[in-house]
Amino acid sequence: MWCQRVLKETVRHLSTRRQVGVLFDVDGVLLRGGSVIPAARRAFRKLVDQNNNFLFPVVFVTNAGSCQKHDKAQQLSHLLDVQIAPEQVVLSHSPLQMMKSFHDKCVLVSGQGPVTHIAQTYGFQKVVTIEQLREQHPLLDMVDHNRKPTSPSSPLQSLPQIQAIILFGEPIRWETNLQLLMDVLLTNGRPGCEYDTQLSTQLPVLACNMDLLWMAEAPSPRFGHGMFLLCLESVYRKLTGRQLQYEALLGKPGLLTYQYAEQVLRRQNHNRKLTTVYAVGDNLMTDIYGANVYNRYLAHQHAAMTNTSKLVAQGTGSPVMMEEDLLSAAQCRSLLVCTGVYNPHSPLPGDKNSGVTETVFHGHRDLVLEPDLVEPSHVVEDVEAAVDLLLQEESSV
């Protein structure tokens, strides 16, 4: 206990010199379903000072999409016994507030939970749900015989043409959502019309959360939204012969989510630049891949800034650089825990000696399997071991 206090005090003094931020995944790292992983509470006791304030800026980055930030902050505060503010939570759909060009369009939303309210909170002004679409066009949803309409209905109000689609997360009735999403995509937003599989353009699709699998209370991982996207892509390709295109893929491992999360860390750090971001997760294809992609991005940004500085010094370059480039962290380090999706007894994807091929690649279709991107900086037993490691590394700098 005495050693731990000395270590925390050392880290606290160093943090005034070296600015560090930590990104925590939630499911499989801190929670299994609605139950807290015991190591999580122990880890967070080590991450706060005597006044219960975090030693470093901390953000919880989760691909959950069926709730709002304040709900997730309240849940985590209760389960971890530490005060967490909504501003410390980044959900898979959080970057939607940055996509202002879609805020005035009529968007169809798919998912579960208060998706209409979430979309409106981000600034979307015209929101239509799958259920509203089904009520407007009762003859479209025919899979469940018990839900077939017994008599034709006359909708009180017609819905506007759909101009974009937002996929928040896995829906409850996959067959209904797949059917109606296809009806919208193949009619250019007019689902009451006949299909046109030769449309020259496709409606914009914004998808949040690419997780193929996620860890709950069950012994093995459960289907995630990435599995639903796989079904949607397969149906679209089967009917049109073309790949479904995405306007944006949000949530981990997308670069936009990590850029957004670093902005949130910096705000906690009084807008001071961070030197290192630690990303703790349980999923190679989500947490580790995303953190390593972000680390590669940061390396490219700093290399470009160094070259620009040299050219400016020589009098041959422009001194204009984006503020984000100047404030970006120097590096992002990925810490993989063994309490969730990752199985330490399974071979790593991309390992040539493992016999694992791209046919079992669990990343999204639009991601490229590169062995370097699924190699964590460290593999540790659980989140407590991850916190111990980063505290030790920061105290030895």
Side-chain angles (χ1 to χ4, degrees), residues 338-360:
C338 302
T339 51
V341 171
Y342 172 67
N343 181 347
H345 304 295
S346 298
L348 295 175
D351 184 350
K352 295 179 181 178
N353 299 320
S354 69
V356 178
T357 66
E358 198 160 344
T359 57
V360 292

Side-chain angles (χ1 to χ4, degrees), residues 16 104 112 171 174 205 252 256 273 317 327 370:
T16 62
D104 63 346
Q112 53 184 295
W174 286 32
V205 177
K252 298 177 295 185
L256 185 63
K273 178 175 177 167
L327 292 175
E370 296 183 35

Side-chain angles (χ1 to χ4, degrees), residues 117-137:
H117 182 66
I118 293 170
Q120 291 171 340
T121 299
Y122 289 144
F124 292 91
Q125 300 162 24
K126 307 169 192 172
V127 181
V128 176
T129 66
I130 290 288
E131 193 55 39
Q132 287 175 314
L133 199 64
R134 182 179 174 276
E135 291 173 0
Q136 176 80 33
H137 302 282

Side-chain angles (χ1 to χ4, degrees), residues 31-47:
L31 310 179
R32 290 281 293 262
S35 303
V36 66
I37 295 172
R41 282 202 184 104
R42 298 194 300 268
F44 277 83
R45 282 197 290 269
K46 297 176 180 180
L47 265 183

Side-chain angles (χ1 to χ4, degrees), residues 101-108 126 128 160-166 184 188-190 202-205:
S101 61
F102 289 95
H103 287 180
D104 63 346
K105 298 185 184 301
C106 180
V107 297
L108 175 66
K126 307 169 192 172
V128 176
Q161 181 181 354
I162 304 298
Q163 297 171 292
I165 294 170
I166 303 177
V184 169
N188 200 32
R190 300 181 178 90
Q202 180 208 296
L203 285 180
V205 177

